[in-house]
């Protein structure tokens, strides 16, 4: 449905929780820059502000094209070039909850690939409503929920992590006995398990029925 392999999908409670798993696992430092849009989802913005307060992360807001209402990709490219190595993440909501615009995810993905910057796409409002082809978007991670346009139950969503992207070897924001094992030979004293816990869950639902 979204052009990825099953081992790139993790089952999560909802799109926001999947987004949090990625965002809060990133090793931000003071002066790092997160790039987003004028119409980013409120919960995500709150996370940006928390990271600004706790770690000194800066937030760069890219303006929308006044003619179309969508993110201005030329401004995005210029901002990344200007910020340079301090640009650590582009985080965009594909379709904002506040209006019906569809941000150009494929173009954003191309720009991020050009500058080798991670791209986190919140697709809560688009998966199931619009065609979403990860082979064309080239994001590093995408989150979606079941209860909206997939017509599934509450309490279910998924997180896609591109196995060729920046986040595949990202250590989770928290660990337990299912996601890590004690290892005295490791400098950290533990090893993250490369098993069906993070992020290699199968999302076993009836998604195959959706045409």
């Amino acid at each position: 449905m979204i052009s990825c392999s099953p081992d790139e999908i993790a089952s999560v409670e909802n799109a926001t929780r999947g987004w949090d798993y990625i965002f809060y696992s990133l090793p931000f430092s003071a002066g790092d820059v997160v790039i987003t849009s004028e119409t980013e989802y409120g919960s995500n913005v709150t996370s940006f502000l928390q990271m600004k307060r706790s770690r000194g992360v800066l937030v760069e807001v890219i303006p929308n094209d006044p003619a179309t209402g969508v993110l201005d990709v030329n401004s995005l490219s210029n901002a990344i070039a200007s910020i340079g190595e301090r640009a650590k993440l582009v985080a965009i909501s594909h379709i904002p909850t506040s209006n019906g615009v569809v941000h150009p995810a494929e173009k954003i993905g191309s720009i991020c690939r050009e500058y080798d910057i991670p791209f986190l796409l919140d697709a809560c409002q688009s998966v199931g409503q619009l065609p979403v082809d990860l082979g064309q978007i080239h994001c590093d991670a995408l989150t979606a929920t079941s209860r909206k346009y997939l017509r599934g139950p509450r309490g279910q969503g998924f997180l896609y992590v591109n196995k060729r992207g920046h986040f595949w070897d990202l250590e989770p924001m928290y660990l337990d006995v299912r996601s890590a094992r004690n290892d005295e030979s490791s400098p950290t004293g533990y090893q993250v398990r490369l098993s069906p816990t993070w992020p290699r869950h199968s999302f076993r639902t009836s998604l195959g029925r959706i045409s």
Side-chain angles (χ1 to χ4, degrees):
M1 186 181 73
I2 58 175
S3 302
C4 69
S5 62
D7 63 346
E8 293 177 304
I9 297 293
S11 178
V12 294
E13 297 95 316
N14 52 54
T16 296
R17 189 59 61 237
W19 190 97
D20 287 344
Y21 284 145
I22 295 295
F23 183 74
Y24 283 103
S25 296
L26 295 174
F28 290 118
S29 300
D32 289 347
V33 180
V34 173
I35 300 172
T36 190
S37 74
E38 289 182 336
T39 51
E40 187 60 19
Y41 181 50
S43 176
N44 300 346
V45 172
T46 300
S47 297
F48 300 153
L49 296 175
Q50 183 185 33
M51 201 62 68
K52 179 179 180 179
R53 178 190 60 79
S54 63
R55 298 193 192 178
V57 169
L58 306 176
V59 182
E60 180 79 11
V61 178
I62 304 301
N64 292 335
D65 183 332
T68 63
V70 304
L71 182 137
D72 186 331
V73 292
N74 290 325
S75 294
L76 173 64
S77 181
N78 291 337
I80 295 175
S82 175
I83 295 167
E85 294 182 355
R86 295 183 298 120
K88 300 300 183 182
L89 178 69
V90 171
I92 303 292
S93 290
H94 196 181
I95 301 179
T97 59
S98 56
N99 56 43
V101 305
V102 182
H103 289 307
E106 291 184 14
K107 292 181 180 179
I108 295 169
S110 294
I111 292 170
C112 290
R113 290 186 76 188
E114 177 184 352
Y115 288 98
D116 193 30
I117 180 173
F119 177 25
L120 173 58
L121 184 64
D122 185 337
C124 185
Q125 306 291 339
S126 56
V127 170
Q129 178 179 201
L130 300 176
V132 175
D133 185 348
L134 292 171
Q136 298 297 319
I137 293 176
H138 300 298
C139 59
D140 294 277
L142 173 147
T143 64
T145 195
S146 165
R147 69 178 179 86
K148 294 191 176 181
Y149 299 101
L150 294 177
R151 297 295 186 263
R154 281 184 175 273
Q156 182 65 66
F158 70 84
L159 166 64
Y160 157 80
V161 178
N162 186 339
K163 65 173 64 178
R164 293 172 296 278
H166 290 85
F167 300 144
W168 186 250
D169 294 319
L170 185 65
E171 184 167 311
M173 58 191 288
Y174 57 80
L175 297 170
D176 58 22
V177 294
R178 291 180 297 176
S179 56
R181 61 181 176 83
N182 294 335
D183 183 354
E184 293 182 358
S185 65
S186 170
T188 60
Y190 65 87
Q191 290 283 351
V192 176
R193 295 181 188 274
L194 298 180
S195 66
T197 53
W198 170 272
R200 303 163 176 83
H201 283 295
S202 291
F203 185 46
R204 302 184 183 280
T205 68
S206 57
L207 293 180
R209 300 178 184 175
I210 300 173
S211 58

